[in-house]
């Protein structure tokens, strides 16, 4: 396959692939990926640990079912998770462990085929690429004068992808009927939501291993059209921005992208799609957790709310843990959050440090039979050094050290 990927295959279409999916080595590599991510049990109640208890038999059975064509995925268990910064819930599908293994094996085999054709402006869910690469490209273009930004949002993208056109995109590259059949089974896999069960007519289920790859493929023609038109588009899954040198250029890009989306049965969200001049106060844009405006960037409001909600849940005044243990627990969150948002402007961090210490002082007030938030003389009673001596990670100090080393 690697040789063929380099030299190309006849007609650009791949035929015999299913044997590579059910090969024992592929299934075992897929199992390693599934186990590493852990995750909850699917609709059959089987956990990762339960699957591993009979690993050889389970992988052998999957190999036989795939080889004979008798494999059928089990219903996906529907759960709902919070949307950051919103009261809405996001639907998430949890496939059975055995189906996650097969999907991972399928992805191992077909992902290199699509990777060979994907464009440079596509950063989401791709090997060797990620959020930070996309953010660096945004920063580079802004510094070069691309200050008019089309901030676009596809309405309910994952749920609205039409099945037949998506399968048509797959058939442009893959002609193995068994592999196509597997993909179609996953698209039409029953959903189990409590006692309700139904078959989806559109969309690729969020939570399925194969979904990000298929979602990327369906937008590939939009990427190609944008690149051919000379647009500076940066896309991460269904989240993308187009950076332009003038408002007229941004408006033309909007019309082009709207037409491309509608041709694929997709809709740009009318309230969340806009053109911004990032030089103007209040006209910045959000992308991948950051807000960009007037030559700087900071965490967007939803990112800050999610972060603060997490801190609040770990710093309740009635906590029975020792201060050292609370700080240890906090540090795990602070390190991870800082690792992603350390490219924010320097004013972001002292304010958050002060807010976190206020939360901790409020706990200490409660323990000393005092009411209210940490304030006033509490700064002398429990100075910043008190928390530093107990190991509290300081966002501001880490950022200052980062700037110095840079």
């Amino acid at each position: 396959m690697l040789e063929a990927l380099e030299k190309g295959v006849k007609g650009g279409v791949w035929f015999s692939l299913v044997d590579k999916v059910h090969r024992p080595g592929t299934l075992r590599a897929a199992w390693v990926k599934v186990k590493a991510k852990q995750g909850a049990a699917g609709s059959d109640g089987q956990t990762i640990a339960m699957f591993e208890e009979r690993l050889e038999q389970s992988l052998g059975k999957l190999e036989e079912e795939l080889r004979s064509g008798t494999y059928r995925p089990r219903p996906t268990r529907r759960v709902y998770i919070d949307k950051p910064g919103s009261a809405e819930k996001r639907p998430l599908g949890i496939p059975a462990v055995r189906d996650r293994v097969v999907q991972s094996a399928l992805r191992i085999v077909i992902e290199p085929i699509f990777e060979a054709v994907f464009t440079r402006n596509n950063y989401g869910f791709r090997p060797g690429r990620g959020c930070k690469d996309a953010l660096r490209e945004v920063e580079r273009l802004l510094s070069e004068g691309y200050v008019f930004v089309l901030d676009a949002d596809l309405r309910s993208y994952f749920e609205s992808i039409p099945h037949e056109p998506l399968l048509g995109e797959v058939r442009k590259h893959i002609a193995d009927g068994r592999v196509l059949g597997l993909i179609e089974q996953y698209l039409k896999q029953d959903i189990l939501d409590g006692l309700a069960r139904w078959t989806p007519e559109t969309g690729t289920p969020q939570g399925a291993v194969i979904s990000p790859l298929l979602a990327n493929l369906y937008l590939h023609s939009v990427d190609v059209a944008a690149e051919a038109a000379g647009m500076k588009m940066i896309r991460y899954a269904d989240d993308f921005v187009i950076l332009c040198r003038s408002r007229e250029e941004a408006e033309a890009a909007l019309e082009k992208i709207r037409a491309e989306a509608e041709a694929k049965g997709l809709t740009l969200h009318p309230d969340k799609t806009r053109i911004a001049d990032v030089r103007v106060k209040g006209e910045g844009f959000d992308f991948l957790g950051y807000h960009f405006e007037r030559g700087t960037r900071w965490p967007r409001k939803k990112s800050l709310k999610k972060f603060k909600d997490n801190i609040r849940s770990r710093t309740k005044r009635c906590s029975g843990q020792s201060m050292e243990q609370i700080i240890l627990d906090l540090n795990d969150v602070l390190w991870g959050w800082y690792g992603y948002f350390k490219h924010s402007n320097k004013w972001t961090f002292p304010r958050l440090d002060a807010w976190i210490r206020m939360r901790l002082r409020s706990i200490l007030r409660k323990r000393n039979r005092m009411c209210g938030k940490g304030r006033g003389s509490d700064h002398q009673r429990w100075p910043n050094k008190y928390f530093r001596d107990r190991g509290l990670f300081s966002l501001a100090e880490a950022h200052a050290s980062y700037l110095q080393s840079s």
Side-chain angles (χ1 to χ4, degrees):
M1 282 191 71
L2 289 172
E3 185 179 356
L5 283 166
E6 291 176 3
K7 297 181 179 178
V9 292
K10 187 176 181 180
V13 180
W14 294 73
F15 286 85
S16 181
L17 291 171
V18 75
D19 61 307
K20 299 167 182 63
V21 175
H22 63 61
R23 187 173 291 165
T26 309
L27 289 172
R28 187 166 291 277
W31 156 250
V32 170
K33 290 177 179 289
V34 170
K35 182 183 177 182
K37 290 193 173 181
Q38 290 298 310
S43 61
D44 59 358
Q46 187 180 46
T47 64
I48 293 285
M50 291 163 67
F51 188 92
E52 190 171 23
E53 282 177 6
R54 305 185 63 186
L55 183 60
E56 297 307 320
Q57 298 97 311
S58 299
L59 293 180
K61 186 176 181 182
L62 285 177
E63 180 190 355
E64 177 55 34
E65 289 181 8
L66 289 165
R67 189 188 299 275
S68 63
T70 58
Y71 167 80
R72 297 292 182 273
R74 291 170 183 167
T76 295
R77 182 166 69 90
R78 170 66 59 86
V79 297
Y80 295 89
I81 60 174
D82 293 332
K83 268 189 175 183
S86 170
E88 297 178 30
K89 298 282 186 178
R90 187 191 305 278
L92 191 68
I94 303 179
V97 176
R98 69 192 297 273
D99 296 331
R100 301 207 292 267
V101 172
V102 176
Q103 286 190 37
S104 293
L106 181 60
R107 182 168 180 167
I108 287 170
V109 173
I110 69 174
E111 185 172 59
I113 295 170
F114 299 128
E115 275 296 312
V117 299
F118 283 163
T119 61
R120 289 181 63 256
N121 60 8
N122 172 6
Y123 290 87
F125 306 110
R126 295 184 61 188
R129 303 190 129 208
C131 292
K132 291 187 178 181
D133 301 301
L135 290 167
R136 273 192 287 268
E137 182 64 7
V138 167
E139 193 67 34
R140 184 185 71 81
L141 290 169
L142 288 172
S143 68
E144 291 182 5
Y146 292 85
V147 293
F148 289 90
V149 179
L150 169 58
D151 182 7
D153 184 274
L154 289 169
R155 176 180 273 167
S156 303
Y157 175 58
F158 281 86
E159 294 92 340
S160 60
I161 300 174
H163 289 169
E164 280 309 311
L166 172 56
L167 288 168
E169 294 295 329
V170 178
R171 291 188 191 103
K172 290 178 182 178
H173 306 276
I174 295 173
D176 187 317
R178 298 270 292 279
V179 167
L180 292 169
L182 280 174
I183 293 173
E184 187 169 8
Q185 283 183 49
Y186 288 129
L187 291 176
K188 298 179 178 179
Q189 191 173 358
D190 279 3
I191 294 173
L192 198 63
D193 188 353
L195 297 177
R197 178 171 173 164
W198 74 93
T199 304
E201 296 181 358
T202 61
T204 176
Q206 293 191 61
V209 177
I210 201 73
S211 286
L213 179 60
L214 296 177
N216 259 340
L217 177 64
Y218 195 60
L219 284 179
H220 173 60
S221 61
V222 178
D223 295 338
V224 172
E227 194 172 71
M231 296 182 197
K232 304 297 183 182
M233 182 167 89
I234 298 98
R235 181 170 72 81
Y236 193 98
D238 59 333
D239 193 3
F240 64 92
V241 290
I242 298 175
L243 286 84
C244 308
R245 290 190 181 275
S246 68
R247 187 171 292 276
E248 292 74 22
E249 186 183 337
E251 288 170 351
L254 173 58
E255 292 310 308
K256 173 72 173 174
I257 292 299
R258 179 179 283 121
E260 291 289 335
E262 289 175 354
K264 301 188 77 66
L266 305 172
T267 307
L268 291 180
H269 199 298
D271 300 327
K272 297 181 180 179
T273 298
R274 52 189 281 273
I275 294 171
D277 180 349
V278 297
R279 298 168 299 178
V280 178
K281 184 178 180 179
E283 272 205 39
F285 68 97
D286 295 339
F287 188 58
L288 299 181
Y290 277 90
H291 180 79
F292 293 83
E293 187 176 315
R294 291 177 294 159
T296 188
R297 57 207 177 280
W298 58 84
R300 67 174 187 163
K301 288 180 180 178
K302 286 184 178 180
S303 299
L304 278 176
K305 183 181 185 304
K306 183 179 179 182
F307 172 70
K308 286 190 169 185
D309 286 346
N310 197 351
I311 297 299
R312 285 188 183 99
S313 70
R314 297 162 190 266
T315 55
K316 294 179 179 178
R317 292 182 205 179
C318 57
S319 173
Q321 293 181 316
S322 68
M323 183 55 62
E324 287 75 12
Q325 184 57 49
I326 292 172
I327 287 173
L328 191 64
D329 189 32
L330 276 180
N331 283 348
D332 287 341
V333 177
L334 297 176
W335 267 107
W337 190 86
Y338 172 76
Y340 187 78
F341 286 104
K342 67 182 178 183
H343 304 289
S344 302
N345 67 41
K346 65 180 181 179
W347 308 113
T348 302
F349 305 105
R351 297 169 187 168
L352 288 173
D353 276 344
W355 179 79
I356 291 165
R357 288 191 296 265
M358 180 275 292
R359 298 283 306 175
L360 295 175
R361 288 186 179 108
S362 298
I363 295 173
L364 293 170
R365 283 180 65 86
K366 175 78 172 177
R367 292 178 180 177
N368 282 268
R369 299 182 180 180
M370 294 185 284
C371 300
K373 297 179 181 179
R375 62 187 187 276
S377 60
D378 293 338
H379 291 267
Q380 285 75 48
R381 190 178 290 111
W382 301 293
N384 294 354
K385 184 177 182 300
Y386 174 89
F387 302 106
R388 187 182 301 113
D389 290 346
R390 281 154 182 78
L392 179 64
F393 177 75
S394 168
L395 298 168
E397 288 177 11
H399 189 248
S401 177
Y402 166 73
L403 292 179
Q404 191 174 22
S405 64
S406 297

